[in-house]
Amino acid sequence: MSVETLVHQEVLVVRLHGDLDHHSVESIRSEVEKALTLGGYRALVMSFASIDFMDSSGIGLILGRYKKLKEMRGAMALCEINPSLEKILKMSGVYRVLPVFPSEREALAHVKGVL
Amino acid sequence: MSSRVSPSVAVENYIRLQFPSKSENESFARVAVASFVAQLDPTLEELTEIKTAVSEAVTNAIIHGYENSFGEVRIECSILDHTVKITIEDDGAGIEDISVARQPLYTSRPDLERSGMGMTIMETFMDLMELESSPGCGTRVTLVKTVGDDPSQQPS
Ligand SMILES: Nc1ncnc2c1ncn2[C@@H]1O[C@H](COP(=O)(O)OP(=O)(O)OP(=O)(O)O)[C@@H](O)[C@H]1O
Ligand SMILES: [Mg+2]
């Protein structure tokens, strides 16, 4: 598992790769947290385009970042969710609290509009 | 379902795995079970569902059962016709109240950013999930799913 972070103006974009499970989530979380804190970003886009596998550990990661950005009055969006991921996210109510877009471009446009 | 000549021959094929409760074994466990189940010719979706359910049970054994101390996790996976049955067991802390633990969004470890969705995911992705647990002794999860060309699952 690896994380690719890039910055689009005020927005931190995190592209997740590989397997997102309990074993990999800790280093991902600390990398995302570090990038958020160091850059002082108030907006986050998480892309799941290159995710091969995800279990409930991923839900914890998403909802944990959501809480944090909400406290900061920031904005967050998800994108590139494949069908099996979609099932887990719907089940756990992620779709009720976070906007989800087909492409990174649309997710970026959304969070920039909210800020 | 084909009728069996001898009901005592209830297991067509099986594997057993046992490993210490290290998080690096989580991916090994789900991939091993999925490779074994592949002989039933499941759809990719069914295979993903089984992998996810196994990952949830193994992760629970490691995080909650052993609370990151070391113990053994045991998996048995057997197949019969088109049905796969998987048991995942630990000798860890056990569960005080199973009906509470099964509730969606219930977690005893919000401090670890757990979401309380593991049990719900197992229930949704498998045809059957059974939980047996005794506090101080351990937990056993049984997961059952029929895959592939089961005539009772007509495509819609
Ligand atoms: N093997 C186990 N041993 C002891 N307790 C367990 C075990 N499995 C589950 N539990 C208890 O049941 C609760 C619910 O489990 P569940 O998998 O649904 O949620 P979680 O593991 O807390 O969060 P998530 O799975 O979303 O990361 C756990 O918080 C834990 O208290
Ligand atoms: Mg769990």
Side-chain angles (χ1 to χ4, degrees):
Chain A
M1 179 79 201
S2 69
V3 195
E4 190 188 336
T5 57
L6 48 146
V7 176
H8 250 267
Q9 293 165 25
E10 317 262 278
V11 186
L12 179 70
V13 178
V14 173
R15 293 180 184 156
L16 302 156
H17 294 263
D19 287 8
L20 180 37
D21 65 3
H22 163 241
H23 180 65
S24 63
V25 78
E26 269 153 55
S27 64
I28 297 165
R29 177 165 39 240
S30 63
E31 232 175 288
V32 176
E33 280 296 300
K34 201 173 71 191
L36 272 176
T37 313
L38 287 181
Y41 302 109
R42 283 178 48 236
L44 174 67
V45 167
M46 290 175 87
S47 168
F48 295 82
S50 306
I51 280 287
D52 300 319
F53 174 84
M54 188 184 107
D55 64 18
S56 65
S57 309
I59 299 165
L61 177 75
I62 294 168
L63 293 177
R65 303 296 83 40
Y66 165 72
K67 256 190 220 157
K68 171 140 193 187
L69 279 138
K70 202 174 155 198
E71 277 166 19
M72 295 159 52
R73 293 162 175 272
M76 181 173 165
L78 312 179
C79 63
E80 306 251 16
I81 306 290
N82 69 41
S84 67
L85 250 159
E86 183 178 316
K87 253 193 262 170
I88 297 186
L89 297 187
K90 285 206 166 138
M91 221 184 275
S92 45
V94 170
Y95 275 67
R96 287 198 291 274
V97 295
L98 278 169
V100 178
F101 298 91
S103 71
E104 200 175 288
R105 187 179 50 78
E106 290 160 277
L108 263 171
H110 172 84
V111 294
K112 282 178 182 168
V114 170
L115 277 187
Chain B
M1 297 277 276
S2 58
S3 57
R4 314 225 120 242
V5 181
S6 158
S8 63
V9 189
V11 173
E12 228 163 40
N13 199 0
Y14 68 87
I15 54 163
R16 289 206 185 102
L17 304 169
Q18 48 193 113
F19 50 87
S21 57
K22 291 172 179 271
S23 67
E24 47 268 61
N25 290 328
E26 290 159 3
S27 69
F28 164 73
R30 64 178 177 261
V31 170
V33 169
S35 325
F36 181 71
V37 172
Q39 64 191 287
L40 294 184
D41 210 15
T43 64
L44 205 58
E45 187 185 1
E46 288 167 337
L47 215 50
T48 301
E49 290 174 344
I50 290 170
K51 255 165 107 168
T52 311
V54 170
S55 195
E56 295 299 345
V58 171
T59 302
N60 280 351
I62 294 174
I63 299 181
H64 306 297
Y66 294 117
E67 296 173 46
N68 295 318
S69 67
F70 285 114
E72 191 172 80
V73 181
R74 289 178 300 275
I75 300 181
E76 182 176 301
C77 176
S78 60
I79 54 183
L80 175 66
D81 291 330
H82 289 281
T83 299
V84 49
K85 178 179 165 189
I86 308 158
T87 60
I88 297 104
E89 57 177 39
D90 65 68
D91 310 314
I95 301 172
E96 293 283 348
D97 189 334
I98 286 179
S99 61
V100 169
R102 286 181 85 129
Q103 279 167 19
L105 301 174
Y106 169 79
T107 179
S108 56
R109 300 305 300 268
D111 56 311
L112 296 179
E113 263 188 16
R114 305 314 302 182
S115 61
M117 285 304 295
M119 302 275 192
T120 308
I121 288 172
M122 288 188 268
E123 277 177 1
T124 311
F125 282 179
M126 305 298 284
D127 298 339
L128 184 87
M129 180 194 69
E130 252 172 37
L131 259 181
E132 297 155 81
S133 190
S134 51
C137 291
T139 301
R140 180 193 290 132
V141 183
T142 304
L143 304 169
V144 178
K145 190 180 180 72
T146 300
V147 300
D149 58 348
D150 175 23
S152 69
Q153 289 181 350
Q154 298 291 336
S156 50

